[in-house]
Amino acid sequence: MDQESMSSYLKMCEKVTQSYQIIGRKWVAPIIHTLMEEPKRFSEIHALIPDLSKRVLVERMKELEEEGIILRNVIADRPVRTEYSLTRKGTELARALNAVGRWAKEWL
């Protein structure tokens, strides 16, 4: 393998490792799954994943927002609401997680 190919391979490995670090965090996959259909408020996400503490949900939502996977949208109605939705990046990740889910259903 030449130097350029090796450099390209190592960069790809770093990105794959980074992706596993993101999706490997506890509760990330269920959070993404809840947002696949439509935007949801924090309380709706929490209700759909009852074993997830509010503290951890807040942490994961911040992390996913920082990664550009979810979008936090403040709606200035009365009362003010905040909804979360998947970004394009998050939608692509959701598709990948669905593929893993299909594999798990068949093989595990």
Side-chain angles (χ1 to χ4, degrees), residues 20-34:
Y20 281 116
Q21 289 171 346
I22 293 167
I23 61 176
R25 292 180 193 134
K26 191 169 184 177
W27 302 110
V28 165
I31 291 168
I32 291 171
H33 182 76
T34 63

Side-chain angles (χ1 to χ4, degrees), residues 9-102:
Y9 175 76
L10 291 174
K11 285 179 184 175
M12 188 268 310
C13 287
E14 289 173 15
K15 289 183 180 216
V16 170
T17 299
Q18 183 183 3
S19 69
Y20 281 116
Q21 289 171 346
I22 293 167
I23 61 176
R25 292 180 193 134
K26 191 169 184 177
W27 302 110
V28 165
I31 291 168
I32 291 171
H33 182 76
T34 63
L35 294 171
M36 286 172 43
E37 298 288 323
E38 62 187 1
K40 293 192 176 49
R41 294 187 318 271
F42 183 91
S43 60
E44 293 173 308
I45 297 166
H46 186 256
L48 290 167
I49 314 171
D51 292 337
L52 172 58
S53 73
K54 287 183 180 182
R55 181 187 63 79
V56 173
L57 179 56
V58 166
E59 286 175 17
R60 292 300 175 266
M61 298 303 277
K62 285 181 182 177
E63 292 167 357
L64 292 170
E65 185 178 8
E66 288 171 3
E67 290 290 344
I69 293 170
I70 64 169
L71 179 66
R72 182 177 181 265
N73 183 29
V74 178
I75 301 166
D77 288 344
R78 294 243 182 232
V80 174
R81 297 176 313 165
T82 302
E83 285 187 340
Y84 296 89
S85 60
L86 293 176
T87 62
R88 183 170 167 240
K89 181 178 179 180
T91 300
E92 289 297 318
L93 179 55
R95 288 185 184 135
L97 292 174
N98 275 341
V100 171
R102 287 190 302 274

Side-chain angles (χ1 to χ4, degrees), residues 3 8 59 61 107:
Q3 186 68 26
S8 177
E59 286 175 17
M61 298 303 277
W107 296 102

